[in-house]
Amino acid sequence: MGIYESRGLTIRDLVSLISLPVTRLSGVGDKKAQALQELGIESVFDMITFYPRRYVDRTRQASLVDLAVGEEALILARVRRTAVRRTRTGKTIVEVDAFDGTGYLHIIFFNQAWRAKQLKEGVEAAFFGKLERFRRVTQMSNPIVDLIGDRTGKIVSIYPQSEKAGLASWEIAKLVDDALNRTGEVFDPVPEEVLDRLDLMGRTAAIRAVHNPSAMGEAMAARRRLAFDELLRLQLMLRRSKVENAHNSKGISHLVAPIFGSIVHTSRLNAGLFSAEPLGADEESNSLIREFFASLSFDLTGAQKKALDEIANDMRSPIPMHRLLQGDVGSGKTLVALGMLLMAIQGGYQGALMAPTEVLAEQHWITLSRLLKGFKVPGSSEDGLFESNERHISVEMLSSKTSAASKRRILDELSSGRIDIIVGTHSLISDGVMFHALGAVVVDEQHRFGVEQRAVLRERARTGHGLDPDVLVMTATPIPRTAAMTVFGDLDLTVLDELPPGRTPIHTRWAKTGDQYRMVFERVRSEVASGRQAYVVCPLVEGSERVIAKSAIEEFERLGANELKGLKLGLLHGQMTPKDKDSVMEQFRLHQLDVLVATTVIEVGVDVPNATVMVIENADRFGIAQLHQLRGRVGRAAHKSYCYLICLAEPEVPNPRIEALVASTDGFYLAEKDLEIRGEGTIMGRRQKGRSDLKLASLARDRDLVASAQLMAKEIVGDDPQMRSFPQLADEIRAFQNPEDSEFLFLS
Ligand code: ADP
Ligand code: MG
């Protein structure tokens, strides 16, 4: 840490700027320091990373004479006159006349009396708002105002100002200038050659240009470079903790021979630590897995085989696996997960499968029990010497419905090793659950499972044999690659990028007129007439579970009396008892019902291949991922399937989410689209403060940088989490790493 000389220049590293308090800047006394603190600025470092909210390009500044009424516009103008008056009802109105060199702008503020003081005659400011015309005068009401003071230059940076703290944009700009002057040259950890390759500017130049660009292009280039730094720091943190984990934990070397022989790139951190050869594993050790996959009525897809080989490779290694399995709806993740569990139990270990909800856990339990029926594992010696030394695979489920007596038995059998696979919700990692030898854990729908829970899981799982189990995390729908690399950056990634053959894309339409609405239900009737089944997902209403249930009941009754009169309808919502839910699902599965009217409880996991129509009412209320997941409930067999998104609207009103679904059935494409439309706020959380936040980087815009940063982090960390060959970067990371901050990344 510190300041040093290089080629005659004094160079500081970023860390030294963190320890320089902002009070060292000229004009910052106690009062101003406090105001700055409210903006999260305490050090010179905070000051220079307090980035402009936007820029006003004077060279391309629109003039009042050129602008049309009704447009949103940014006008740079000087105040000529300010007046305050009161309405008869006692409201204060401040009226300002400003001149931009081409014309006058009349600005009106309602109930903002303090504007009179702020916008005195002679003050120059940027006004942002909608242009109106009133009695032949161009005006704006309640625009956003940024005081820019006497800043010159072609491009003016506008800072997020704080009215409460009484800091105007121009004051912040002045402080930033002072901070930049004191900063001088900053150490750049990225080698010249990498800068060239990624077309990035140097760090010092970028820090200066982001605040005082000479052209808009330069501002963008500076932003890109500084975004890269943010992403690099984040990836370094993830990489370090990953390597540290690998060093500090001991996993199980499962006895698994290669299964399908796909070429698998060893992604292990330390290939030298173990032999890629299946130590002691032979054809014999895989007999259960081979038998199981041979029993299926279909071939695995190439992607499934490759995923299983990758997993087998990891399972064999003594470094605990932490892998994310991504695949589109219907890509067959369940079988891959099951394969992993079998790899563990064929060697005498146990497997656990955790789902986010009881409904899903139950689905999984039913599926696994059905698929594993008749398969045996080598028994333990307790089973007797004279009987065949084999017993049926035991799959059990723990849920809140499990009776006290069953629960006692299950816990007992888990700790003695009689149970091979346990399925349940996160309650599986609660106190009191003790495993005999847990070897593999599958976590379904990671979205709701944070890094903290993963740590707890590891702790709990370790008891028993003192080794960490291998962990596979599955997501229900794809998430964008950049998000996966960022939010799940500590996991290895496997992608199922292939659907089982014979799936025809689901015919998806947006029903926006009354005629189209009627045709949707005609389609439901005709599909039912030809022996198929349908889902109708009720409008998403706001309110308690009870309110939601009530609206579902009403919709069920309405449809039964009108559009779907005469068909056998079932109703499914969250307020029903588990028993009633099960019974309705069972009736639907057995085709005793034609149409299931449901709330989003059917969102994930429901698997009834005979269903071919999915109708979603008020589709505009759902997110892309949710719509895609719901649509995935049909098209699960060879029958042609349909999805109708009902959203009665003016024909001309665009709806990018619905349009995306109509355009594509590719979950990976939709995930990217979703990121574009919503921005990453929803993925990353929206905290403004904290040094490790991404202030400039955007997962949607900076895709290429995320990948480059990850690659570079890998090279830098290598096998040394201390990063001893990169002391400045190591210091930088340490200064940035605020455990509380990095945690939030995982708790989306
Ligand atoms: P996901 O969980 O990825 O959405 P599932 O594992 O539920 O998908 O699989 C969807 C359906 O496809 C299931 O009915 C499953 O039995 C079937 N399936 C899985 N793999 C294959 C395959 N290779 N060929 C044909 N059908 C498959
Ligand atoms: Mg599934």
Side-chain angles (χ1 to χ4, degrees):
M1 190 219 283
I3 304 166
Y4 37 95
E5 300 274 328
S6 166
R7 282 184 260 161
L9 275 174
T10 308
I11 299 182
R12 284 174 179 280
D13 58 24
L14 277 188
V15 180
S16 69
L17 297 173
I18 293 176
S19 52
L20 269 184
V22 79
T23 44
R24 298 283 277 279
L25 301 178
S26 62
V28 180
D30 284 353
K31 196 158 155 261
K32 199 151 271 175
Q34 202 173 350
L36 286 168
Q37 197 174 15
E38 283 194 35
L39 295 172
I41 303 169
E42 292 177 4
S43 67
V44 170
F45 170 84
D46 295 334
M47 197 76 243
I48 61 172
T49 55
F50 192 77
Y51 299 116
R53 177 154 51 103
R54 54 195 158 83
Y55 302 96
V56 180
D57 185 347
R58 278 197 166 122
T59 58
R60 306 187 49 190
Q61 177 60 33
S63 309
L64 266 172
V65 283
D66 306 327
L67 286 165
V69 172
E71 272 179 58
E72 291 227 303
L74 183 78
I75 307 281
L76 211 56
R78 195 174 289 281
V79 174
R80 285 291 167 87
R81 187 189 71 95
T82 303
V84 186
R85 64 183 170 86
R86 281 186 176 275
T87 64
R88 254 172 285 154
T89 53
K91 294 204 174 83
T92 310
I93 292 180
V94 175
E95 289 180 282
V96 174
D97 283 314
F99 186 66
D100 84 333
T102 65
Y104 272 92
L105 178 67
H106 187 65
I107 304 151
I108 305 170
F109 296 100
F110 298 95
N111 276 329
Q112 299 179 24
W114 55 276
R115 292 285 189 195
K117 272 209 201 104
Q118 183 198 33
L119 297 170
K120 288 200 180 113
E121 189 186 327
V123 165
E124 196 178 17
F127 300 94
F128 182 76
K130 196 166 171 177
L131 285 181
E132 297 149 20
R133 180 90 70 188
F134 186 68
R135 293 192 188 141
R136 307 186 54 206
V137 175
T138 309
Q139 67 174 40
M140 268 185 197
S141 356
N142 290 339
I144 296 171
V145 180
D146 291 301
L147 296 189
I148 57 173
D150 51 5
R151 290 181 76 71
T152 50
K154 279 189 299 188
I155 296 188
V156 179
S157 302
I158 306 275
Y159 290 91
Q161 52 194 354
S162 162
E163 251 113 48
K164 198 165 111 244
L167 273 174
S169 174
W170 65 267
E171 283 180 281
I172 295 171
K174 256 172 80 175
L175 294 171
V176 169
D177 278 349
D178 191 23
L180 287 174
N181 286 336
R182 282 169 192 252
T183 300
E185 200 72 16
V186 178
F187 171 76
D188 192 339
V190 184
E192 199 101 9
E193 168 263 321
V194 177
L195 292 180
D196 280 348
R197 180 153 43 87
L198 301 179
D199 193 20
L200 293 172
M201 58 201 285
R203 192 185 245 182
T204 307
I207 292 176
R208 292 180 172 279
V210 81
H211 293 290
N212 296 316
S214 58
M216 284 311 283
E218 198 187 30
M220 294 307 115
R223 189 205 68 78
R224 202 174 121 84
R225 162 59 209 260
L226 298 171
F228 179 75
D229 283 5
E230 292 178 353
L231 293 167
L232 178 63
R233 281 191 288 264
L234 192 59
Q235 291 298 337
L236 284 170
M237 289 181 205
L238 289 163
R239 191 72 199 169
R240 269 176 20 147
S241 78
K242 186 172 171 177
V243 174
E244 241 158 25
N245 260 341
H247 286 192
N248 298 339
S249 54
K250 249 185 105 177
I252 303 159
S253 300
H254 291 278
L255 220 54
V256 193
I259 308 173
F260 302 104
S262 346
I263 296 169
V264 174
H265 296 286
T266 302
S267 63
R268 306 312 305 177
L269 301 157
N270 188 349
L273 250 180
F274 75 104
S275 149
E277 291 304 308
L279 287 169
D282 52 25
E283 293 289 299
E284 189 63 16
S285 16
N286 273 8
S287 56
L288 174 61
I289 290 179
R290 283 181 195 285
E291 239 178 86
F292 172 74
F293 285 120
S295 79
L296 296 175
S297 58
F298 47 77
D299 276 337
L300 292 182
T301 64
Q304 283 172 317
K305 290 180 183 174
K306 184 153 178 288
L308 283 161
D309 279 334
E310 243 163 19
I311 291 168
N313 210 37
D314 283 5
M315 296 278 286
R316 209 177 295 133
S317 136
I319 301 173
M321 171 171 101
H322 292 284
R323 195 170 270 286
L324 176 69
L325 179 64
Q326 277 221 71
D328 207 344
V329 180
S331 59
K333 294 184 285 288
T334 313
L335 281 178
V336 174
L338 178 51
M340 165 176 174
L341 296 174
L342 292 179
M343 291 176 206
I345 67 177
Q346 70 179 3
Y349 287 97
Q350 295 166 298
L353 196 164
M354 301 201 303
T357 65
E358 299 228 331
V359 175
L360 249 182
E362 185 142 358
Q363 284 275 337
H364 278 311
W365 180 64
I366 292 171
T367 308
L368 295 198
S369 306
R370 179 168 53 83
L371 289 169
L372 293 176
K373 205 164 168 208
F375 286 97
K376 293 182 176 171
V377 278
S380 62
S381 51
E382 291 159 35
D383 293 335
L385 277 175
F386 300 107
E387 289 156 51
S388 152
N389 198 20
E390 275 190 335
R391 57 176 178 78
H392 285 283
I393 292 178
S394 152
V395 185
E396 293 280 358
M397 153 128 183
L398 257 186
S399 81
S400 60
K401 285 183 280 170
T402 314
S403 71
S406 308
K407 186 165 177 191
R408 228 172 299 127
R409 174 187 60 82
I410 290 173
L411 290 182
D412 190 52
E413 293 188 1
L414 268 179
S415 64
S416 74
R418 278 291 289 172
I419 291 175
D420 302 297
I421 296 178
I422 183 82
V423 183
T425 62
H426 302 159
S427 64
L428 284 186
I429 55 169
S430 67
D431 287 331
V433 182
M434 213 68 105
F435 292 90
H436 175 65
L438 183 58
V441 178
V442 176
V443 185
D444 198 1
E445 328 298 351
Q446 165 75 9
H447 277 64
R448 298 168 230 194
F449 201 74
V451 79
E452 254 167 57
Q453 279 130 310
R454 243 187 281 151
V456 175
L457 169 79
R458 231 177 293 142
E459 282 293 300
R460 296 224 46 87
R462 198 177 285 157
T463 54
H465 50 66
L467 299 173
D468 284 354
D470 292 290
V471 177
L472 183 72
V473 168
M474 304 197 283
T475 59
T477 43
I479 55 174
R481 206 179 144 67
T482 48
M485 283 196 276
T486 311
V487 184
F488 302 113
D490 61 332
L491 305 178
D492 292 314
L493 184 62
T494 291
V495 178
L496 291 184
D497 50 4
E498 187 183 353
L499 289 181
R503 303 262 170 92
T504 46
I506 300 159
H507 175 93
T508 304
R509 286 291 175 269
W510 175 3
K512 49 179 128 179
T513 66
D515 276 347
Q516 288 166 341
Y517 176 86
R518 276 183 290 282
M519 274 156 61
V520 166
F521 287 97
E522 272 163 34
R523 170 75 72 186
V524 172
R525 302 190 76 99
S526 71
E527 281 294 296
V528 167
S530 49
R532 304 280 84 80
Q533 289 162 282
Y535 300 98
V536 178
V537 176
C538 296
L540 198 61
V541 294
E542 300 276 336
S544 63
E545 281 295 325
R546 220 172 48 87
V547 174
I548 296 168
K550 183 164 163 282
S551 99
I553 294 166
E554 281 167 8
E555 187 61 10
F556 167 76
E557 282 166 359
R558 195 187 65 78
L559 287 170
N562 299 284
E563 285 87 350
L564 300 179
K565 197 169 170 184
L567 304 189
K568 283 172 284 178
L569 304 192
L571 172 67
L572 191 69
H573 62 71
Q575 284 278 286
M576 290 160 58
T577 65
K579 202 161 148 258
D580 289 347
K581 272 193 252 178
D582 288 351
S583 130
V584 169
M585 270 320 297
E586 192 58 16
Q587 286 173 44
F588 191 67
R589 233 176 256 134
L590 296 173
H591 201 170
Q592 292 161 357
L593 296 171
D594 299 316
V595 180
L596 191 60
V597 179
T599 59
T600 52
V601 288
I602 61 155
E603 188 182 334
V604 275
V606 171
D607 189 10
V608 179
N610 192 48
T612 54
V613 192
M614 167 61 68
V615 180
I616 304 171
E617 301 199 50
N618 289 16
D620 54 326
R621 296 217 163 186
F622 298 88
I624 285 188
Q626 213 174 5
L627 290 171
H628 181 60
Q629 186 57 245
L630 284 167
R631 176 168 61 180
R633 299 309 104 212
V634 297
R636 299 178 78 80
H639 312 295
K640 178 155 183 53
S641 294
Y642 307 85
C643 173
Y644 296 105
L645 305 167
I646 296 180
C647 169
L648 302 180
E650 300 294 322
E652 300 315 319
V653 178
N655 185 318
R657 275 176 293 149
I658 297 185
E659 280 156 13
L661 265 113
V662 171
S664 175
T665 51
D666 176 349
F668 286 94
Y669 166 83
L670 291 172
E672 293 290 345
K673 207 73 198 159
D674 199 19
L675 181 61
E676 250 166 54
I677 295 171
R678 294 197 305 173
E680 52 276 2
T682 42
I683 292 167
M684 302 289 292
R686 260 199 193 283
R687 294 209 341 210
Q688 288 301 312
K689 294 186 181 151
R691 295 200 179 107
S692 70
D693 279 12
L694 301 182
K695 289 182 183 169
L696 294 174
S698 144
L699 297 185
R701 192 170 33 185
D702 301 315
R703 284 182 191 129
D704 58 324
L705 293 184
V706 176
S708 309
Q710 191 182 49
L711 214 66
M712 188 168 161
K714 217 166 170 170
E715 277 173 31
I716 289 176
V717 176
D719 196 31
D720 173 25
Q722 306 304 322
M723 297 173 35
R724 273 172 284 239
S725 317
F726 303 85
Q728 288 99 342
L729 252 185
D731 279 347
E732 201 172 311
I733 303 304
R734 219 163 330 204
F736 275 81
Q737 197 156 24
N738 175 340
E740 185 206 328
D741 280 351
S742 47
E743 199 79 322
F744 96 97
L745 279 173
F746 301 92
L747 300 171
S748 44

